[in-house]
Amino acid sequence: MSDTIPGGQSKPWKYDVDKGFAWIVLIGCFVMYMFVIGSFKAFGLLYTEMVEYYSAGSGNTAWISAISLTLLYCLGPIANLLCKLYSFRRVTMVGGILFGLGYFLSGFVTKMEYMYFTFFSTGLGYGLSFAPCSTIISYYFDKRRALANGIMVSGSGVGAIALPFLYKYLIEQYGLNGAFWIIGATFSNVCVAACVFRQPRYLVEEQKEKLRANKHTEDEYDVCASQLVDGKGDKNAVRNIYKGLCSALDLRFNLLKKTLFTLYLISFMCCGFAFVGSIILIPSSVKTLGYDKTYVALSVIIFGGVEVVARILIGWFADLHIIKCKYIYVVNMFIVGAFSLIAPLFESFSFIAVYATVAASFAGSYLSLRSVLIIEAVDLENFSSAFGLLSLTQAIGVLPGQPAMGWLYDLYGNWNPSFILTGFMYILAGIIVLLEPFVVRCWTKSDNEDLCSPDNQNQSHDQGKPTDGTCKDELQSSDTSFSS
C-alpha cells in the first residue's frame, strides 16, 4: 500500500504507513478516545448522581447522554468533509473546544432539562472529534490496521478506568456542579491530542487533483446555475447540482447495494442500541442492588479495564487471519447476548462484575473490528463514505438505547427487562450478519424473475439507448450486484 492508493493507481510518493509518524498519529487517537469515548463510558457514574440530584426519572435523564451520542454519529459525514477541506487537525481542535465547553457549562445548570442544551455542545464536540479520529487511522495503517484500531479504541478503556476515580473524587470534594467545571477544563486537552493529526499524504494529493479538475467544471456549474435562474436550463441541471452536494458530503448511497455492507449497518445498529444501554445499565443496576458509590465506580472501572486488554487482543487475533473477522464478531455477539439473558437470575455485585467483563470483552469487540469489517465489504477507496453512512445509521440505533433502558426501569422498578432487551438485541446483531447468503440468494432469485418477465424482455431491445432525463454516465455506472 505504501506505493499505491486505493483503486490501484500508482503514485510516486511514499506513505508513513505502518511505520514512522503513523505511530505518533495513533498516540493522538488513543488520547482522544481516552477522553471522548472514555468520558461517555464513565458517564454512568455521573448518570446515577444526576438521577438522584435532579429527581427527573431514569428515562428522561438518559436523554442527556443519548443526545450527545446521537450527534457523535450524525456529524460523521460532515466532520469527514470538513477534515478534507480544512484538515483533521483543525476540525478535531474545534471539536475539543466544544466538548470541554459543554461539560463546563453543565456546572451552571439548576434544572435537568437545561442539560439537553449544554450536552448539545458536548455532542457537537463528540461529532467533530470521533469520526475524524476513527477515519485518519485507516489512512496510516494497512497490514496492522486491526491492531492499530484495537490500540486506539482501548484508549476508551483507559478513560473508563481513570475517569470514574476522578468523577467520584470531584463530586465528593466539590459537588456535582463543581465537578462539571473541572471535568470540562480537563477534557479541553483533546485539543492537545489534535495537534499531531497531520493530514494524510494521500488526501493532500487527492485534494490537489480535485482542485485542478474543478477548474474545468466550475464554469459549467456557473452556466448551469444561470440557466436555472433564467428558466432555460435542461431537466438534468438540478440532478447534477444534487449529485455535486452528495459528492461533497461523500455520501455514496450506492454502497448500500453491497449486501454485506448493508447487513453490517443493520447489525451495528442493533449492537449499538444494546452496547450504549449497557453503559448506564451496569452501574445503575449496582446502585439499585444497594451498593455504595465505591462499588458503582468499580463496576465502571472493571468494564473499562477489561476493554484495554480485550480490544488489543481481539485486534491482534483478527490480524492473524485464523478466523474471518465476520465470524469473530458473530460469536462475540452470541456470547454477550447469552449472558445478558441470564443476568436477571443473579442479584449480586459478583455477577455484575462478570457481566461487565463479558460485555467489555465481546460486545466491545465491534468497535475494534468495525473499520476492518467495513473495509472488507467496500474496500479502502470507499471507506470514508462508508464510515459516514455507518455513522448516520448508528445514530438511529443509539438514540433510543439509554432512554429505553431507563423507561423500562421506571415502568417495572428493576433492571431485569433492560437486561433481557439488551440480550435479544445482541443476538439479533449476530443473526443478521449470518443471513447474508440467504439474502443474496433471495435477491438474485428476485432479479432473475424480473429479467425473465415479458416487460423486461421487450425493454431489452432498447438497452443502451438513454431515456429522457437519464445521464449516460448513470447508465454506465449502474450496479445491480448485491454481492459483497
Side-chain angles (χ1 to χ4, degrees):
M1 177 180 169
S2 59
D3 296 321
T4 60
I5 64 171
Q9 296 176 340
S10 178
K11 290 294 178 181
W13 64 79
K14 300 286 185 180
Y15 291 98
D16 288 323
V17 175
D18 295 317
K19 60 183 179 180
F21 196 78
W23 296 100
I24 304 299
V25 174
L26 179 58
I27 293 174
C29 292
F30 178 90
V31 173
M32 191 162 293
Y33 255 76
M34 181 176 67
F35 285 121
V36 175
I37 307 301
S39 68
F40 181 77
K41 291 181 178 177
F43 184 80
L45 194 145
L46 291 177
Y47 170 79
T48 58
E49 292 295 321
M50 293 166 66
V51 170
E52 182 178 347
Y53 185 84
Y54 293 108
S55 301
S58 299
N60 292 334
T61 306
W63 275 110
I64 295 173
S65 56
I67 290 172
S68 60
L69 188 62
T70 300
L71 286 171
L72 181 150
Y73 287 113
C74 285
L75 291 177
I78 298 175
N80 283 331
L81 170 62
L82 294 176
C83 286
K84 290 184 177 181
L85 296 176
Y86 301 106
S87 81
F88 283 90
R89 181 179 300 164
R90 294 176 182 176
V91 173
T92 51
M93 191 166 292
V94 172
I97 295 173
L98 293 173
F99 174 40
L101 183 63
Y103 270 91
F104 181 79
L105 293 177
S106 297
F108 298 96
V109 171
T110 57
K111 191 176 181 180
M112 190 276 294
E113 285 75 10
Y114 297 149
M115 284 281 188
Y116 298 154
F117 299 99
T118 59
F119 268 77
F120 185 84
S121 173
T122 299
L124 293 177
Y126 279 154
L128 294 178
S129 303
F130 172 72
C133 179
S134 302
T135 303
I136 193 174
I137 201 69
S138 293
Y139 287 105
Y140 276 97
F141 286 90
D142 181 18
K143 295 181 180 179
R144 302 181 182 274
R145 183 175 293 131
L147 176 61
N149 276 278
I151 294 174
M152 177 182 66
V153 298
S154 68
S156 64
V158 175
I161 294 175
L163 293 178
F165 283 115
L166 177 63
Y167 290 171
K168 182 176 180 293
Y169 173 79
L170 293 177
I171 291 172
E172 291 175 349
Q173 295 295 321
Y174 306 103
L176 185 61
N177 292 336
F180 273 123
W181 295 333
I182 299 175
I183 291 170
T186 303
F187 288 163
S188 296
N189 284 290
V190 167
C191 299
V192 179
C195 292
V196 302
F197 282 6
R198 187 174 69 186
Q199 198 74 350
R201 191 77 56 85
Y202 165 61
L203 292 181
V204 172
E205 296 298 329
E206 182 185 59
Q207 188 69 12
K208 291 180 180 178
E209 292 179 2
K210 287 184 178 180
L211 289 174
R212 287 192 293 266
N214 285 340
K215 291 181 180 180
H216 300 287
T217 59
E218 284 179 354
D219 293 338
E220 296 179 4
Y221 274 97
D222 291 340
V223 171
C224 175
S226 63
Q227 289 178 342
L228 285 174
V229 173
D230 297 336
K232 300 179 180 179
D234 61 34
K235 62 183 66 178
N236 292 324
V238 175
R239 180 184 301 174
N240 290 336
I241 293 177
Y242 169 77
K243 290 168 65 177
L245 292 174
C246 289
S247 176
L249 287 175
D250 203 14
L251 293 176
R252 303 173 191 172
F253 291 99
N254 63 330
L255 292 176
L256 298 176
K257 293 180 180 180
K258 295 181 179 292
T259 306
L260 186 57
F261 175 63
T262 302
L263 291 178
Y264 278 150
L265 294 184
I266 300 173
S267 177
F268 291 157
M269 285 172 58
C270 297
C271 181
F273 176 95
F275 187 71
V276 300
S278 299
I279 293 174
I280 66 169
L281 179 60
I282 292 173
S284 298
S285 60
V286 172
K287 186 172 184 178
T288 302
L289 291 175
Y291 294 94
D292 60 20
K293 295 179 182 178
T294 302
Y295 284 92
V296 174
L298 184 59
S299 66
V300 178
I301 292 168
I302 292 173
F303 187 90
V306 172
E307 278 189 321
V308 175
V309 179
R311 291 189 177 181
I312 295 177
L313 290 179
I314 289 175
W316 168 78
F317 181 74
D319 280 337
L320 296 178
H321 302 293
I322 298 175
I323 303 175
K324 288 185 177 181
C325 292
K326 176 172 66 174
Y327 298 122
I328 296 175
Y329 168 77
V330 171
V331 171
N332 289 348
M333 292 299 103
F334 287 160
I335 292 175
V336 70
F339 269 84
S340 299
L341 292 177
I342 65 174
L345 302 177
F346 303 88
E347 294 184 355
S348 66
F349 177 79
S350 298
F351 180 82
I352 296 298
V354 173
Y355 178 77
T357 301
V358 173
S361 300
F362 299 102
S365 68
Y366 94 102
L367 293 175
S368 297
L369 301 175
R370 183 178 53 190
S371 296
V372 180
L373 293 172
I374 292 300
I375 290 175
E376 287 180 356
V378 302
D379 299 327
L380 182 60
E381 183 179 7
N382 298 312
F383 174 69
S384 179
S385 179
F387 196 87
L389 294 175
L390 171 64
S391 296
L392 291 176
T393 54
Q394 282 210 273
I396 300 174
V398 302
L399 178 61
Q402 292 184 344
M405 303 298 169
W407 288 330
L408 286 175
Y409 174 79
D410 293 337
L411 183 61
Y412 293 98
N414 61 72
W415 294 99
N416 292 342
S418 299
F419 276 111
I420 295 174
L421 176 60
T422 298
F424 277 119
M425 295 302 289
Y426 279 132
I427 293 175
L428 180 61
I431 292 175
I432 288 172
V433 175
L434 293 179
L435 290 177
E436 182 203 1
F438 177 77
V439 174
V440 171
R441 191 181 307 116
C442 291
W443 192 268
T444 303
K445 181 179 178 180
S446 176
D447 282 350
N448 290 337
E449 291 177 353
D450 291 341
L451 290 174
C452 293
S453 65
D455 291 339
N456 280 329
Q457 288 180 353
N458 293 332
Q459 292 176 0
S460 63
H461 299 290
D462 297 329
Q463 288 180 354
K465 297 181 180 181
T467 58
D468 292 340
T470 303
C471 298
K472 181 179 180 181
D473 291 340
E474 290 179 357
L475 291 174
Q476 292 176 344
S477 62
S478 61
D479 181 15
T480 59
S481 174
F482 275 68
S483 62
S484 60

mmCIF file of all heavy atoms in Angstrom, residues 374-409:
data_model
loop_
_atom_site.group_PDB
_atom_site.id
_atom_site.type_symbol
_atom_site.label_atom_id
_atom_site.label_comp_id
_atom_site.label_asym_id
_atom_site.label_seq_id
_atom_site.Cartn_x
_atom_site.Cartn_y
_atom_site.Cartn_z
ATOM 1 N N ILE A 374 -15.867 -3.109 7.669
ATOM 2 C CA ILE A 374 -16.384 -2.200 6.637
ATOM 3 C C ILE A 374 -15.442 -2.168 5.433
ATOM 4 O O ILE A 374 -15.894 -2.185 4.274
ATOM 5 C CB ILE A 374 -16.564 -0.787 7.219
ATOM 6 C CG1 ILE A 374 -17.698 -0.780 8.252
ATOM 7 C CG2 ILE A 374 -16.866 0.220 6.108
ATOM 8 C CD1 ILE A 374 -19.039 -1.188 7.699
ATOM 9 N N ILE A 375 -14.145 -2.132 5.671
ATOM 10 C CA ILE A 375 -13.185 -2.095 4.571
ATOM 11 C C ILE A 375 -13.239 -3.393 3.775
ATOM 12 O O ILE A 375 -13.124 -3.393 2.547
ATOM 13 C CB ILE A 375 -11.766 -1.820 5.099
ATOM 14 C CG1 ILE A 375 -11.668 -0.376 5.606
ATOM 15 C CG2 ILE A 375 -10.708 -2.061 4.015
ATOM 16 C CD1 ILE A 375 -10.357 -0.034 6.266
ATOM 17 N N GLU A 376 -13.428 -4.526 4.456
ATOM 18 C CA GLU A 376 -13.575 -5.795 3.749
ATOM 19 C C GLU A 376 -14.800 -5.781 2.847
ATOM 20 O O GLU A 376 -14.811 -6.406 1.783
ATOM 21 C CB GLU A 376 -13.680 -6.942 4.753
ATOM 22 C CG GLU A 376 -12.364 -7.282 5.450
ATOM 23 C CD GLU A 376 -12.525 -8.431 6.423
ATOM 24 O OE1 GLU A 376 -13.680 -8.911 6.597
ATOM 25 O OE2 GLU A 376 -11.516 -8.860 7.004
ATOM 26 N N ALA A 377 -15.836 -5.067 3.252
ATOM 27 C CA ALA A 377 -17.083 -5.050 2.491
ATOM 28 C C ALA A 377 -17.057 -4.065 1.327
ATOM 29 O O ALA A 377 -17.656 -4.321 0.285
ATOM 30 C CB ALA A 377 -18.255 -4.728 3.418
ATOM 31 N N VAL A 378 -16.371 -2.920 1.477
ATOM 32 C CA VAL A 378 -16.437 -1.871 0.455
ATOM 33 C C VAL A 378 -15.075 -1.431 -0.078
ATOM 34 O O VAL A 378 -15.011 -0.616 -0.989
ATOM 35 C CB VAL A 378 -17.172 -0.633 1.002
ATOM 36 C CG1 VAL A 378 -18.566 -0.997 1.465
ATOM 37 C CG2 VAL A 378 -16.390 0.026 2.135
ATOM 38 N N ASP A 379 -13.968 -1.921 0.459
ATOM 39 C CA ASP A 379 -12.607 -1.519 0.086
ATOM 40 C C ASP A 379 -12.251 -0.153 0.674
ATOM 41 O O ASP A 379 -13.134 0.675 0.973
ATOM 42 C CB ASP A 379 -12.414 -1.486 -1.434
ATOM 43 C CG ASP A 379 -12.628 -2.855 -2.063
ATOM 44 O OD1 ASP A 379 -12.308 -3.855 -1.390
ATOM 45 O OD2 ASP A 379 -13.130 -2.922 -3.202
ATOM 46 N N LEU A 380 -10.956 0.088 0.804
ATOM 47 C CA LEU A 380 -10.476 1.322 1.422
ATOM 48 C C LEU A 380 -10.844 2.555 0.608
ATOM 49 O O LEU A 380 -11.053 3.639 1.156
ATOM 50 C CB LEU A 380 -8.951 1.261 1.603
ATOM 51 C CG LEU A 380 -8.294 2.467 2.274
ATOM 52 C CD1 LEU A 380 -8.851 2.671 3.684
ATOM 53 C CD2 LEU A 380 -6.779 2.300 2.329
ATOM 54 N N GLU A 381 -10.952 2.400 -0.707
ATOM 55 C CA GLU A 381 -11.284 3.537 -1.568
ATOM 56 C C GLU A 381 -12.621 4.163 -1.178
ATOM 57 O O GLU A 381 -12.802 5.370 -1.275
ATOM 58 C CB GLU A 381 -11.325 3.083 -3.029
ATOM 59 C CG GLU A 381 -11.598 4.200 -4.019
ATOM 60 C CD GLU A 381 -11.602 3.712 -5.450
ATOM 61 O OE1 GLU A 381 -11.523 2.481 -5.644
ATOM 62 O OE2 GLU A 381 -11.682 4.556 -6.357
ATOM 63 N N ASN A 382 -13.551 3.345 -0.712
ATOM 64 C CA ASN A 382 -14.887 3.823 -0.340
ATOM 65 C C ASN A 382 -15.065 3.924 1.169
ATOM 66 O O ASN A 382 -16.187 4.116 1.644
ATOM 67 C CB ASN A 382 -15.955 2.877 -0.905
ATOM 68 C CG ASN A 382 -15.939 2.812 -2.411
ATOM 69 O OD1 ASN A 382 -15.906 3.836 -3.081
ATOM 70 N ND2 ASN A 382 -15.929 1.609 -2.952
ATOM 71 N N PHE A 383 -13.972 3.793 1.922
ATOM 72 C CA PHE A 383 -14.095 3.715 3.376
ATOM 73 C C PHE A 383 -14.650 4.998 3.981
ATOM 74 O O PHE A 383 -15.509 4.960 4.863
ATOM 75 C CB PHE A 383 -12.736 3.394 3.997
ATOM 76 C CG PHE A 383 -12.740 3.433 5.504
ATOM 77 C CD1 PHE A 383 -13.425 2.473 6.222
ATOM 78 C CD2 PHE A 383 -12.084 4.439 6.192
ATOM 79 C CE1 PHE A 383 -13.448 2.498 7.604
ATOM 80 C CE2 PHE A 383 -12.091 4.479 7.572
ATOM 81 C CZ PHE A 383 -12.773 3.503 8.280
ATOM 82 N N SER A 384 -14.168 6.142 3.532
ATOM 83 C CA SER A 384 -14.614 7.399 4.111
ATOM 84 C C SER A 384 -16.115 7.579 3.950
ATOM 85 O O SER A 384 -16.826 7.937 4.897
ATOM 86 C CB SER A 384 -13.870 8.579 3.465
ATOM 87 O OG SER A 384 -14.307 9.807 4.004
ATOM 88 N N SER A 385 -16.622 7.307 2.748
ATOM 89 C CA SER A 385 -18.054 7.420 2.509
ATOM 90 C C SER A 385 -18.824 6.367 3.297
ATOM 91 O O SER A 385 -19.882 6.648 3.863
ATOM 92 C CB SER A 385 -18.356 7.272 1.018
ATOM 93 O OG SER A 385 -19.734 7.348 0.771
ATOM 94 N N ALA A 386 -18.282 5.151 3.341
ATOM 95 C CA ALA A 386 -18.948 4.072 4.072
ATOM 96 C C ALA A 386 -19.026 4.392 5.559
ATOM 97 O O ALA A 386 -20.039 4.113 6.218
ATOM 98 C CB ALA A 386 -18.212 2.757 3.850
ATOM 99 N N PHE A 387 -17.959 5.000 6.094
ATOM 100 C CA PHE A 387 -17.968 5.338 7.512
ATOM 101 C C PHE A 387 -18.995 6.433 7.796
ATOM 102 O O PHE A 387 -19.607 6.457 8.867
ATOM 103 C CB PHE A 387 -16.579 5.796 7.957
ATOM 104 C CG PHE A 387 -16.394 5.796 9.449
ATOM 105 C CD1 PHE A 387 -15.982 4.654 10.100
ATOM 106 C CD2 PHE A 387 -16.651 6.927 10.206
ATOM 107 C CE1 PHE A 387 -15.821 4.633 11.481
ATOM 108 C CE2 PHE A 387 -16.494 6.923 11.580
ATOM 109 C CZ PHE A 387 -16.077 5.766 12.217
ATOM 110 N N GLY A 388 -19.191 7.337 6.841
ATOM 111 C CA GLY A 388 -20.226 8.351 7.006
ATOM 112 C C GLY A 388 -21.612 7.742 7.073
ATOM 113 O O GLY A 388 -22.436 8.113 7.912
ATOM 114 N N LEU A 389 -21.883 6.770 6.174
ATOM 115 C CA LEU A 389 -23.166 6.073 6.213
ATOM 116 C C LEU A 389 -23.315 5.273 7.498
ATOM 117 O O LEU A 389 -24.407 5.196 8.075
ATOM 118 C CB LEU A 389 -23.287 5.150 4.994
ATOM 119 C CG LEU A 389 -23.365 5.836 3.628
ATOM 120 C CD1 LEU A 389 -23.347 4.791 2.519
ATOM 121 C CD2 LEU A 389 -24.623 6.692 3.522
ATOM 122 N N LEU A 390 -22.208 4.683 7.952
ATOM 123 C CA LEU A 390 -22.229 3.942 9.206
ATOM 124 C C LEU A 390 -22.590 4.859 10.372
ATOM 125 O O LEU A 390 -23.379 4.494 11.247
ATOM 126 C CB LEU A 390 -20.862 3.294 9.448
ATOM 127 C CG LEU A 390 -20.632 2.652 10.814
ATOM 128 C CD1 LEU A 390 -21.574 1.471 11.006
ATOM 129 C CD2 LEU A 390 -19.183 2.209 10.973
ATOM 130 N N SER A 391 -22.026 6.056 10.385
ATOM 131 C CA SER A 391 -22.312 6.997 11.464
ATOM 132 C C SER A 391 -23.786 7.378 11.492
ATOM 133 O O SER A 391 -24.409 7.444 12.558
ATOM 134 C CB SER A 391 -21.447 8.252 11.297
ATOM 135 O OG SER A 391 -20.078 7.938 11.437
ATOM 136 N N LEU A 392 -24.344 7.633 10.310
ATOM 137 C CA LEU A 392 -25.753 8.025 10.249
ATOM 138 C C LEU A 392 -26.671 6.910 10.736
ATOM 139 O O LEU A 392 -27.619 7.151 11.483
ATOM 140 C CB LEU A 392 -26.119 8.418 8.815
ATOM 141 C CG LEU A 392 -25.495 9.708 8.275
ATOM 142 C CD1 LEU A 392 -25.888 9.905 6.815
ATOM 143 C CD2 LEU A 392 -25.930 10.909 9.105
ATOM 144 N N THR A 393 -26.395 5.680 10.316
ATOM 145 C CA THR A 393 -27.259 4.570 10.705
ATOM 146 C C THR A 393 -27.093 4.223 12.187
ATOM 147 O O THR A 393 -28.071 3.870 12.856
ATOM 148 C CB THR A 393 -26.972 3.337 9.845
ATOM 149 O OG1 THR A 393 -25.562 3.023 9.902
ATOM 150 C CG2 THR A 393 -27.363 3.586 8.399
ATOM 151 N N GLN A 394 -25.866 4.331 12.696
ATOM 152 C CA GLN A 394 -25.672 4.028 14.115
ATOM 153 C C GLN A 394 -26.362 5.049 15.013
ATOM 154 O O GLN A 394 -26.779 4.731 16.124
ATOM 155 C CB GLN A 394 -24.177 3.952 14.446
ATOM 156 C CG GLN A 394 -23.527 2.650 14.022
ATOM 157 C CD GLN A 394 -22.376 2.265 14.910
ATOM 158 O OE1 GLN A 394 -21.253 2.661 14.699
ATOM 159 N NE2 GLN A 394 -22.674 1.466 15.914
ATOM 160 N N ALA A 395 -26.481 6.273 14.525
ATOM 161 C CA ALA A 395 -27.196 7.286 15.301
ATOM 162 C C ALA A 395 -28.637 6.858 15.541
ATOM 163 O O ALA A 395 -29.208 7.109 16.605
ATOM 164 C CB ALA A 395 -27.152 8.624 14.573
ATOM 165 N N ILE A 396 -29.224 6.181 14.552
ATOM 166 C CA ILE A 396 -30.595 5.703 14.691
ATOM 167 C C ILE A 396 -30.674 4.639 15.786
ATOM 168 O O ILE A 396 -31.640 4.577 16.554
ATOM 169 C CB ILE A 396 -31.104 5.132 13.351
ATOM 170 C CG1 ILE A 396 -31.069 6.219 12.267
ATOM 171 C CG2 ILE A 396 -32.510 4.564 13.494
ATOM 172 C CD1 ILE A 396 -31.407 5.709 10.883
ATOM 173 N N GLY A 397 -29.628 3.816 15.881
ATOM 174 C CA GLY A 397 -29.639 2.755 16.868
ATOM 175 C C GLY A 397 -29.354 3.220 18.283
ATOM 176 O O GLY A 397 -29.984 2.752 19.238
ATOM 177 N N VAL A 398 -28.421 4.156 18.439
ATOM 178 C CA VAL A 398 -28.003 4.550 19.790
ATOM 179 C C VAL A 398 -28.943 5.576 20.428
ATOM 180 O O VAL A 398 -28.989 5.675 21.660
ATOM 181 C CB VAL A 398 -26.563 5.114 19.772
ATOM 182 C CG1 VAL A 398 -25.592 4.099 19.206
ATOM 183 C CG2 VAL A 398 -26.475 6.424 18.995
ATOM 184 N N LEU A 399 -29.688 6.325 19.626
ATOM 185 C CA LEU A 399 -30.551 7.367 20.192
ATOM 186 C C LEU A 399 -31.541 6.824 21.221
ATOM 187 O O LEU A 399 -31.651 7.357 22.326
ATOM 188 C CB LEU A 399 -31.287 8.114 19.071
ATOM 189 C CG LEU A 399 -32.272 9.200 19.529
ATOM 190 C CD1 LEU A 399 -31.541 10.287 20.315
ATOM 191 C CD2 LEU A 399 -32.997 9.805 18.329
ATOM 192 N N PRO A 400 -32.289 5.746 20.913
ATOM 193 C CA PRO A 400 -33.262 5.266 21.913
ATOM 194 C C PRO A 400 -32.668 4.287 22.921
ATOM 195 O O PRO A 400 -33.382 3.855 23.831
ATOM 196 C CB PRO A 400 -34.311 4.561 21.040
ATOM 197 C CG PRO A 400 -33.526 4.025 19.892
ATOM 198 C CD PRO A 400 -32.410 5.014 19.635
ATOM 199 N N GLY A 401 -31.383 3.915 22.792
ATOM 200 C CA GLY A 401 -30.818 2.868 23.629
ATOM 201 C C GLY A 401 -30.908 3.141 25.120
ATOM 202 O O GLY A 401 -31.549 2.397 25.871
ATOM 203 N N GLN A 402 -30.286 4.210 25.584
ATOM 204 C CA GLN A 402 -30.272 4.510 27.009
ATOM 205 C C GLN A 402 -31.631 4.952 27.543
ATOM 206 O O GLN A 402 -32.041 4.506 28.625
ATOM 207 C CB GLN A 402 -29.195 5.557 27.309
ATOM 208 C CG GLN A 402 -27.790 5.023 27.094
ATOM 209 C CD GLN A 402 -26.717 6.016 27.484
ATOM 210 O OE1 GLN A 402 -26.983 7.206 27.635
ATOM 211 N NE2 GLN A 402 -25.494 5.545 27.628
ATOM 212 N N PRO A 403 -32.372 5.821 26.829
ATOM 213 C CA PRO A 403 -33.720 6.149 27.336
ATOM 214 C C PRO A 403 -34.615 4.924 27.480
ATOM 215 O O PRO A 403 -35.401 4.831 28.419
ATOM 216 C CB PRO A 403 -34.258 7.114 26.276
ATOM 217 C CG PRO A 403 -33.040 7.745 25.696
ATOM 218 C CD PRO A 403 -32.012 6.659 25.675
ATOM 219 N N ALA A 404 -34.506 3.965 26.558
ATOM 220 C CA ALA A 404 -35.322 2.751 26.642
ATOM 221 C C ALA A 404 -35.003 1.975 27.912
ATOM 222 O O ALA A 404 -35.906 1.464 28.588
ATOM 223 C CB ALA A 404 -35.099 1.876 25.415
ATOM 224 N N MET A 405 -33.702 1.870 28.234
ATOM 225 C CA MET A 405 -33.309 1.182 29.469
ATOM 226 C C MET A 405 -33.898 1.896 30.692
ATOM 227 O O MET A 405 -34.405 1.267 31.619
ATOM 228 C CB MET A 405 -31.787 1.124 29.583
ATOM 229 C CG MET A 405 -31.093 0.446 28.420
ATOM 230 S SD MET A 405 -31.561 -1.277 28.222
ATOM 231 C CE MET A 405 -30.849 -1.643 26.615
ATOM 232 N N GLY A 406 -33.816 3.221 30.698
ATOM 233 C CA GLY A 406 -34.342 3.988 31.822
ATOM 234 C C GLY A 406 -35.849 3.903 31.946
ATOM 235 O O GLY A 406 -36.394 3.787 33.054
ATOM 236 N N TRP A 407 -36.551 3.943 30.808
ATOM 237 C CA TRP A 407 -38.016 3.859 30.848
ATOM 238 C C TRP A 407 -38.491 2.499 31.351
ATOM 239 O O TRP A 407 -39.489 2.405 32.068
ATOM 240 C CB TRP A 407 -38.593 4.142 29.461
ATOM 241 C CG TRP A 407 -38.490 5.574 29.067
ATOM 242 C CD1 TRP A 407 -38.503 6.656 29.910
ATOM 243 C CD2 TRP A 407 -38.360 6.092 27.751
ATOM 244 N NE1 TRP A 407 -38.384 7.820 29.190
ATOM 245 C CE2 TRP A 407 -38.295 7.511 27.857
ATOM 246 C CE3 TRP A 407 -38.286 5.526 26.486
ATOM 247 C CZ2 TRP A 407 -38.157 8.344 26.751
ATOM 248 C CZ3 TRP A 407 -38.152 6.348 25.380
ATOM 249 C CH2 TRP A 407 -38.093 7.741 25.526
ATOM 250 N N LEU A 408 -37.787 1.433 30.947
ATOM 251 C CA LEU A 408 -38.158 0.102 31.435
ATOM 252 C C LEU A 408 -37.987 0.014 32.947
ATOM 253 O O LEU A 408 -38.790 -0.631 33.638
ATOM 254 C CB LEU A 408 -37.312 -0.966 30.738
ATOM 255 C CG LEU A 408 -37.661 -1.257 29.280
ATOM 256 C CD1 LEU A 408 -36.663 -2.246 28.679
ATOM 257 C CD2 LEU A 408 -39.077 -1.812 29.161
ATOM 258 N N TYR A 409 -36.940 0.667 33.474
ATOM 259 C CA TYR A 409 -36.755 0.681 34.922
ATOM 260 C C TYR A 409 -37.873 1.480 35.606
ATOM 261 O O TYR A 409 -38.413 1.059 36.628
ATOM 262 C CB TYR A 409 -35.403 1.277 35.281
ATOM 263 C CG TYR A 409 -35.214 1.449 36.772
ATOM 264 C CD1 TYR A 409 -34.869 0.368 37.574
ATOM 265 C CD2 TYR A 409 -35.407 2.688 37.393
ATOM 266 C CE1 TYR A 409 -34.726 0.505 38.944
ATOM 267 C CE2 TYR A 409 -35.260 2.846 38.757
ATOM 268 C CZ TYR A 409 -34.921 1.747 39.534
ATOM 269 O OH TYR A 409 -34.778 1.901 40.882
#
